[in-house]
Amino acid sequence: MFRTASRNVLAHKSRLLMTVLAVMLGVAFVSGTLVFTSTISEALRDSALKGYAGVDVAIQPDSSRTGPEARPSLDRKLLDKAAQVPGAESASGTVTGFTAIADKNGKLIGHGFSTRGGNYYPGADGKDPRYPMRDGSAPHGTGQIALDSRTADKAGYKVGDTVRVSVDGPVRKTTLTGIFTTDDGAVTAGGSLALFDDATAQRLFTGPGRYSEIHVKAAPGTSQAALLSEIERVLPAKGADAATGKKLAEDDAEQTEKSMDSVKTGLLGFAGIALFVGVFLIANTFTMLVAQRTKELALMRAVGASRRQVTRSVLIEAVVVGAVAAVTGLAIGVGIGAGMRALMSSTGAIVPDGPLVVSVSTVLTALLVGVGVTVLAAWLPGRRAAKVPPVAAMNSVHATATTESLVVRNTVGALLAGVGVAAVLVATGMKDGKAVMGLGAALLLIGVFVLTPLLSRPLIALAGPALRAFGVAGAIARRNAVRNPRRTAATASALMVGLTLITGLTVIGNSVQKGVDKMARDSLKADYVVSMVGMTPLSPEVEKKLSSLDEVTSSSALRSSAARIGGQTTSLTGVNGVAFGELTRLDFSSGSLEGLAGGKAVIDDGTAEEKGWKVGSRLLVTFEDGEKETLTVSGVYEGNEMIRQILVDNSVLGTHQKHVSDLQVMVRTKGGATEAAKEKLIDALGKNPAISVQDRDDVSEGISQSVNLLLNMLYALLAMAVIVAVLGVVNTLAMSVFERSQEIGMLRAIGLDRSGVKRMVRLESLVISLFGGVLGIGLGVFFGWAAGELISASLTTYELVVPWGRMGIFFALAAVVGTLAAVWPARRAAQLNMLAAIKAE
């Protein structure tokens, strides 16, 4: 039986190649995902270990304190105490913060949070061991800076050059005094690092005499645990924590693993979709091979082979095919993993250097997935072949689906689809119906798949009038498409799954895009929104500078600060109470923005409903500096994704903030938004590349770009499922041609020429593909509408958009799939020798 199975594998190379391709694509994506995530995780882990390589104990601000009392920064006094504890060799303070660096052309180097600044903390020898200088010397004084070697070389900077930097808005011109080397993971991944002297860095990021962290190095012979015990004795009662360098590195590694889990899950989900679609192709392939060997299997049964042996021979073929596909897919997956890493680096993401990681678990997973999926898909055809009585099989009497089996199938499918539709509709009215909707969508998809043979006849019949225009070839193509409803259904379902997801995501994406765009345009009256790249804090000087311009008629800085009200921590948003009404368009259910000053506050309707507050309610607020003040609610407005929470006047909020900074600045200019006005704002801010000046069109375009980028990534991932579906259509047509060899020979004999045979096969392929396209697009629109009902609960401006243009493209894609898939089967059918075909049994 093993020799027979091996021979059969080699006897049907072309058809088995399609199965290998289907499994290989799925395995390649699975293994590529595992290689990619393992590589990134390992690189980030190594980066964390390097970051704490010289740190035995680190003192950090207490991260568990989230109340309004500002977390105290770590001061010089604590640093000196840490340096003097028994077992400590030395202690150093670190300061970090956002620092944008412009190249010689004025363009920003790096992206968002990957552009950082820090302090050069010299030891007793006057050097900071973290940053050995390659050229020049360490920075001293306000106007000096040092850059990492990668950034300096990229921008063409040399010691002595003037470098334009920005920390919180205003441009600072500094002199480059040194170029250093570093193993910092963010820098090796393409980020930038600028160093200031200790005093300057503190003034820019943490405040004089304050540090972000304190790193303590143990003396020889002292363990990290022993040093930690000593450090804990000198920590203040509140505001600071300590941990060993090893523990912090492990925590960073664990956090990295968690952050990669969502990426891994998403990518594996798309790989699973491709494998799911591939199951249809594999099942069709083995059904075809079993059909071709019906007499052979019957003869084996007649000479003593048991049903189990027949099934086993089919499964052995599946194991061989799956193993070949798995090994090939693994090799391609390694390349995919490397490519995904390079792509991620090119987008500006932080990807530290490191070797490509191909773990044992990745190899085993690829083999198990490849072989397992193939065997699973081949089991049913093998079992079905073993059930055919030997005598019946020898006489080519194939077991066909009975009426009873079809009734059972249709009943089960109708129940699943009905329950699925009901669950989805119920979920649209629930506050948090994601789980219910997901279950309903799965049941509906499975139900439609089960019902596809029943649906194929009436839907394909609708194409009858169009097919009549092609004469005999069209009429025969329509009948052939419904001759074997089960196989037609399996083929159409493969394409249906891919198009359902693509259409659903497109509907959701376009609807969200329009909703957010509508929200931005409806809620904003400001002509421009000014913010830092990466949404880091802005200096209050930016708003002062803009408000002093003749072109600016009104402006308001937006600030945020933690506070405590009624024993619960919340967030306060500071605005210019006088000008805010001219810059935004808020709908008030009660009260108004007028008089938003002094002890007044306005709140969004969600907060009002949750807390039971209304106009006139008095709120006892504990600010971040610990001071208390009573605010009176003067208005309740309809919140949205852009503006919500509790709004107070900046004159109130600013007096309680230790470090006053803005999130963004809204600006209104004379004559509205014009290119000239925008240029004047940019010029007034020193043409700072780290500052973004956006009008409403820019905000909308930014949202559109983000949504389109996400959709394009999803399309690329789902394209693999469509490719597998194409192979499925090819397989089905090849099987159809094999089963109808005698019929095709008769048609040729009575006058149907080769071009007519090709046309017949192409039309059959087109009908099957369009059938899958109709089901997929229909389900996709329904799922898109249902998901939108959930989204609209949090995005009030959400509006369903049915992208008819893109849906037309998807439908055309289904037609292209059918046309391309028919090329080889149509050619094969046309080349059949009519006499040999007529004699075929």
Side-chain angles (χ1 to χ4, degrees):
M1 296 300 294
F2 179 77
R3 287 196 300 270
T4 302
S6 301
R7 186 200 64 191
N8 286 324
V9 170
L10 298 176
H12 305 284
K13 300 182 185 67
S14 59
R15 289 179 193 139
L16 286 173
L17 177 61
M18 289 186 288
T19 301
V20 169
L21 286 173
V23 180
M24 181 190 70
L25 288 171
V27 172
F29 214 136
V30 170
S31 54
T33 296
L34 295 176
V35 169
F36 169 69
T37 53
S38 297
T39 298
I40 299 300
S41 297
E42 192 66 26
L44 292 172
R45 181 189 294 271
D46 289 345
S47 176
L49 291 174
K50 288 179 181 178
Y52 291 103
V55 180
D56 291 307
V57 174
I59 303 175
Q60 301 174 320
D62 183 3
S63 59
S64 65
R65 295 174 62 82
T66 57
E69 298 83 4
R71 293 182 299 174
S73 299
L74 310 177
D75 56 20
R76 183 75 196 191
K77 183 178 178 181
L78 180 57
L79 173 61
D80 292 337
K81 285 183 179 180
Q84 296 170 6
V85 301
E89 180 179 305
S90 63
S92 60
T94 66
V95 177
T96 58
F98 172 81
T99 301
I101 305 169
D103 62 17
K104 290 186 176 182
N105 297 320
K107 295 183 179 180
L108 181 67
I109 300 176
H111 302 271
F113 293 105
S114 63
T115 58
R116 299 181 300 112
N119 66 322
Y120 187 87
Y121 192 91
D125 59 354
K127 299 179 181 179
D128 189 333
R130 299 174 300 171
Y131 310 114
M133 288 292 163
R134 188 191 73 180
D135 302 317
S137 58
H140 295 285
T142 303
Q144 296 188 0
I145 195 175
L147 290 179
D148 69 271
S149 57
R150 295 190 180 214
T151 299
D153 294 342
K154 186 191 305 181
Y157 283 129
K158 296 180 180 179
V159 172
D161 286 347
T162 298
V163 181
R164 297 170 72 243
V165 301
S166 178
V167 172
D168 54 4
V171 175
R172 306 170 189 271
K173 293 185 178 181
T174 58
T175 301
L176 182 63
T177 63
I179 298 174
F180 60 90
T181 58
T182 178
D183 291 329
D184 187 293
V187 174
T188 59
S192 63
L193 179 60
L195 296 181
F196 304 89
D197 71 338
D198 200 49
T200 302
Q202 288 177 345
R203 187 172 63 256
L204 293 175
F205 303 124
T206 59
R210 308 285 179 171
Y211 295 97
S212 304
E213 288 188 8
I214 295 174
H215 294 167
V216 187
K217 187 176 181 180
T222 302
S223 67
Q224 289 189 354
L227 181 60
L228 177 62
S229 297
E230 296 294 338
I231 292 292
E232 288 176 339
R233 295 179 182 179
V234 300
L235 292 180
K238 296 180 179 180
D241 284 332
T244 63
K246 180 181 179 182
K247 175 69 166 54
L248 291 173
E250 290 174 351
D251 289 346
D252 278 3
E254 183 180 348
Q255 191 63 34
T256 297
E257 292 288 343
K258 290 181 179 179
S259 65
M260 294 303 296
D261 280 346
S262 58
V263 177
K264 183 188 295 185
T265 301
L267 293 175
L268 288 177
F270 287 102
I273 292 168
L275 287 171
F276 178 70
V277 173
V279 167
F280 300 129
L281 169 56
I282 299 166
N284 272 357
T285 299
F286 279 92
T287 299
M288 181 197 316
L289 297 176
V290 168
Q292 289 178 331
R293 294 163 46 207
T294 300
K295 286 192 174 182
E296 176 188 327
L297 295 175
L299 182 60
M300 292 173 64
R301 288 286 310 282
V303 298
S306 65
R307 287 185 177 183
R308 184 174 298 177
Q309 285 178 309
V310 171
T311 303
R312 191 181 302 148
S313 70
V314 176
L315 295 182
I316 288 173
E317 292 181 49
V319 170
V320 174
V321 172
V324 172
V327 172
T328 310
L330 175 62
I332 296 174
V334 173
I336 290 176
M340 291 173 69
R341 175 179 172 170
L343 179 63
M344 188 174 178
S345 299
S346 68
T347 61
I350 301 298
V351 185
D353 290 337
L356 202 65
V357 178
V358 184
S359 63
V360 176
S361 62
T362 298
V363 175
L364 293 177
T365 300
L367 293 175
L368 288 174
V369 168
V371 175
V373 168
T374 310
V375 171
L376 177 66
W379 175 76
L380 187 59
R383 184 169 176 268
R384 193 179 296 156
K387 283 185 175 182
V388 179
V391 176
M394 288 182 182
N395 288 285
S396 300
V397 181
H398 303 289
T400 57
T402 63
T403 303
E404 182 181 357
S405 67
L406 290 175
V407 170
V408 172
R409 174 171 181 152
N410 293 337
T411 302
V412 172
L415 287 174
L416 289 173
V419 173
V421 170
V424 170
L425 294 177
V426 169
T428 58
M430 298 173 63
K431 190 173 184 180
D432 185 12
K434 294 178 183 177
V436 176
M437 182 169 291
L439 177 61
L443 291 175
L444 176 56
L445 196 61
I446 295 171
V448 171
F449 165 67
V450 175
L451 285 172
T452 308
L454 177 66
L455 298 173
S456 63
R457 291 184 181 276
L459 289 179
I460 291 177
L462 295 176
L467 291 174
R468 290 195 195 102
F470 296 94
V472 175
I476 297 175
R478 186 185 68 81
R479 288 198 294 269
N480 288 338
V482 295
R483 175 177 292 185
N484 191 330
R486 289 176 181 268
R487 193 170 62 227
T488 298
T491 305
S493 296
L495 190 59
M496 177 190 75
V497 172
L499 288 179
T500 295
L501 294 171
I502 290 174
T503 305
L505 291 171
T506 302
V507 170
I508 295 170
N510 281 268
S511 300
V512 168
Q513 178 179 320
K514 183 170 183 179
V516 176
D517 179 54
K518 185 174 185 295
M519 177 181 63
R521 294 180 181 277
D522 289 352
S523 61
L524 278 181
K525 289 162 60 178
D527 296 316
Y528 298 100
V529 176
V530 180
S531 61
M532 287 289 286
V533 173
M535 294 305 295
T536 54
L538 269 173
S539 168
E541 294 180 19
V542 172
E543 197 272 338
K544 291 179 182 178
K545 182 70 175 177
L546 294 174
S547 62
S548 66
L549 298 176
D550 293 337
E551 292 78 16
V552 175
T553 58
S554 59
S555 64
S556 173
L558 266 68
R559 299 173 184 170
S560 182
S561 176
R564 192 181 297 277
I565 303 176
Q568 293 184 341
T569 299
T570 187
S571 178
L572 299 179
T573 300
V575 299
N576 182 335
V578 176
F580 197 62
E582 301 176 19
L583 301 168
T584 58
R585 187 179 290 106
L586 297 180
D587 295 326
F588 277 79
S589 57
S590 59
S592 67
L593 266 175
E594 295 180 8
L596 180 58
K600 300 295 179 64
V602 297
I603 59 177
D604 66 278
D605 50 1
T607 301
E609 182 179 355
E610 179 186 351
K611 304 292 185 181
W613 297 338
K614 58 184 179 180
V615 173
S617 295
R618 296 173 64 83
L619 315 177
L620 180 60
V621 181
T622 303
F623 292 90
E624 68 174 44
D625 61 355
E627 295 292 326
K628 296 182 179 180
E629 189 172 336
T630 300
L631 301 179
T632 302
V633 177
S634 60
V636 177
Y637 67 93
E638 184 179 331
N640 55 53
E641 294 299 313
M642 295 187 66
I643 304 172
R644 60 174 54 199
Q645 300 292 339
I646 303 171
L647 305 181
V648 299
D649 192 80
N650 278 330
S651 62
V652 176
L653 195 63
T655 58
H656 297 288
Q657 291 182 289
K658 291 185 178 180
H659 304 288
V660 178
S661 61
D662 302 330
L663 297 176
Q664 61 184 32
V665 178
M666 294 181 176
V667 177
R668 198 167 187 180
T669 57
K670 295 177 182 177
T674 63
E675 283 299 319
K678 185 175 183 178
E679 285 299 322
K680 288 191 176 182
L681 296 182
I682 293 174
D683 290 342
L685 297 174
K687 296 184 177 180
N688 189 340
I691 293 182
S692 170
V693 179
Q694 294 181 307
D695 59 24
R696 278 170 284 184
D697 289 336
D698 293 332
V699 173
S700 177
E701 184 179 348
I703 296 168
S704 299
Q705 288 178 349
S706 299
V707 174
N708 287 333
L709 177 62
L710 179 60
L711 284 176
N712 290 335
M713 290 175 60
L714 295 175
Y715 290 161
L717 293 170
L718 288 171
M720 184 171 55
V722 176
I723 292 173
V724 175
V726 172
L727 297 176
V729 178
V730 174
N731 239 10
T732 295
L733 293 176
M735 186 188 303
S736 179
V737 169
F738 164 75
E739 289 180 349
R740 303 201 309 268
S741 295
Q742 191 176 57
E743 176 186 317
I744 292 173
M746 290 293 295
L747 289 172
R748 289 289 315 282
I750 61 176
L752 188 65
D753 58 10
R754 289 186 175 182
S755 61
V757 172
K758 288 183 179 180
R759 190 180 306 116
M760 176 186 70
V761 176
R762 288 172 185 156
L763 290 173
E764 178 184 350
S765 174
L766 185 63
V767 167
I768 293 174
S769 296
L770 292 180
F771 170 52
V774 169
L775 291 179
I777 293 173
L779 285 173
V781 171
F782 176 71
F783 289 146
W785 165 80
E789 291 298 301
L790 291 182
I791 296 172
S792 63
S794 56
L795 183 61
T796 55
T797 54
Y798 181 89
E799 183 178 337
L800 178 66
V801 175
V802 180
W804 296 107
R806 290 202 183 187
M807 286 169 55
I809 293 174
F810 298 155
F811 194 70
L813 174 64
V816 171
V817 166
T819 303
L820 294 178
V823 173
W824 177 65
R827 183 180 178 186
R828 186 172 181 273
Q831 290 178 343
L832 286 175
N833 183 293
M834 68 177 73
L835 296 179
I838 291 172
K839 291 191 296 182
E841 297 182 2

